[in-house]
Amino acid sequence: MTATPAGTAVDMFRMDGRACIVTGASSGLGARFAEVLHAAGAIVVLAARRRERLDDLASRLDRAVAVECDVASEADRARLVATAERECGRVDVLVNNAGVSQMVRMERESLEQWEETFAVNVTAVHRLALLAGAGMLERGSGVVVNVASMYGFVARWDIPGAASYAATKAAVVNLTRELGAQWARRGVRVNGLAPGYFPSEMTGDGLDDSRFRDRLDRRCPAGRPGRPHELDGALLFLASDASSYMVGQTIVVDGGWTAV
Ligand SMILES: NC(=O)c1ccc[n+]([C@@H]2O[C@H](COP(=O)([O-])OP(=O)(O)OC[C@H]3O[C@@H](n4cnc5c(N)ncnc54)[C@H](OP(=O)(O)O)[C@@H]3O)[C@@H](O)[C@H]2O)c1
């Protein structure tokens, strides 16, 4: 078995010509992930409900397709994958990033809120993996990156919120193991990324609130939330050939939150 020369290690992170779907690309982490993959050479398919946000991002990238899509709808999910396959010829990478978190205390979460969270955070992740995965399995190559959360590993008791968020993110962590293990020998790799607190629409109100921010800084070993660029390396590692022997794992990038 020959190894590639060590001097070419950086090249393994290149994404030239790879077609990557990024869901939830209209804001926050998803918009950043799309820009990072594009900067590494990828063609990016931007998906979310807010079309004008996608068009705005697409207008700044020379290899981008915007697809309005509600990931909770099976028809929209199928249309997203079909559009990506038609426009790009195939889907090389699926980044399942779209997610919701109900801003309500656990005892007040309604059944509708619980079900919406599962529809977006779990069902959509699974169904999109199957839809995009079909072509990947046929070709014997492809990558799925599922965006979980550090709250897929620990409870959110110290900064309370709806229980559905942590429940769905734990489901994503084990769904990632299951898909990864079942597809590894067929050339399709599935891994996950579990961020701690990063600035986005989801976390904006909290991070702007001085009491919340103070609790976060005291609780987090790094003493601060993540900065927007501090997931770039992990995302690119997971999406590219650099992680070719990694299967079913979820990388936690949380300033040490789950380490203590
Ligand atoms: N920021 C953090 O600290 C943090 C930490 C851990 C994990 N995460 C995870 O990272 C991912 C991105 O979150 P974010 O922090 O970047 O939050 P955000 O700024 O609120 O972004 C969420 C994205 O998901 C999309 N989305 C929500 N529901 C959707 C639906 N039904 N169909 C299609 N798209 C939908 C939104 O787009 P539209 O509204 O335009 O549809 C938006 O682009 C989520 O999975 C989240 O759980 C974030």
Side-chain angles (χ1 to χ4, degrees):
M1 180 62 63
T2 53
T4 56
T8 62
V10 171
D11 298 340
M12 294 191 298
F13 290 84
R14 292 294 316 175
M15 296 295 292
D16 300 293
R18 307 230 175 138
C20 306
I21 295 178
V22 181
T23 68
S26 61
S27 69
L29 308 188
R32 177 81 191 184
F33 293 158
E35 288 184 285
V36 168
L37 293 168
H38 177 267
I43 308 156
V44 286
V45 179
L46 314 170
R49 291 165 301 181
R50 284 171 295 175
R51 176 78 205 210
E52 66 291 352
R53 294 285 202 97
L54 300 178
D55 286 340
D56 180 53
L57 178 56
S59 71
R60 289 184 276 117
L61 307 174
D62 60 348
R63 299 173 308 279
V65 181
V67 182
E68 192 177 316
C69 169
D70 179 349
V71 298
S73 150
E74 181 74 1
D76 276 19
R77 294 189 288 254
R79 192 172 44 77
L80 168 61
V81 173
T83 306
E85 288 178 339
R86 191 182 64 242
E87 297 286 323
C88 309
R90 70 202 172 279
V91 176
D92 296 304
V93 177
L94 165 67
V95 182
N96 264 319
N97 164 79
V100 290
S101 173
Q102 307 293 344
M103 298 305 168
V104 59
R105 289 191 72 88
M106 188 169 87
E107 300 79 4
R108 299 230 173 98
E109 185 172 26
S110 67
L111 178 59
E112 289 70 29
Q113 288 172 316
W114 172 271
E115 287 177 345
E116 186 212 357
T117 313
F118 270 81
V120 174
N121 292 9
V122 184
T123 308
V125 169
H126 179 236
R127 295 300 302 170
L128 279 168
L130 296 188
L131 287 162
M136 295 178 185
L137 292 167
E138 221 172 270
R139 289 192 313 281
S141 102
V143 172
V144 178
V145 180
N146 294 328
V147 179
S149 163
M150 65 179 179
Y151 290 129
F153 295 94
V154 295
R156 198 160 60 161
W157 69 276
D158 37 14
I159 298 183
S164 60
Y165 188 75
T168 56
K169 293 304 185 178
V172 170
V173 170
N174 220 36
L175 176 62
T176 299
R177 293 188 182 109
E178 192 63 42
L179 291 169
Q182 291 209 30
W183 285 353
R185 293 186 188 199
R186 300 172 67 190
V188 180
R189 290 188 307 105
V190 185
N191 289 296
L193 179 59
Y197 280 95
F198 281 80
S200 72
E201 286 180 8
M202 187 182 284
T203 56
D205 289 348
L207 296 182
D208 291 343
D209 177 85
S210 60
R211 278 187 28 220
F212 178 94
R213 179 60 201 270
D214 190 49
R215 280 164 71 193
L216 185 157
D217 291 353
R218 275 189 280 114
R219 167 68 180 82
C220 180
R224 60 171 177 82
R227 299 183 178 121
H229 67 276
E230 289 181 315
L231 291 169
D232 295 357
L235 184 272
L236 203 48
F237 171 68
L238 293 174
S240 69
D241 295 345
S243 58
S244 57
Y245 194 53
M246 184 146 166
V247 169
Q249 302 295 336
T250 296
I251 299 180
V252 183
V253 182
D254 65 354
W257 192 286
T258 55
V260 294

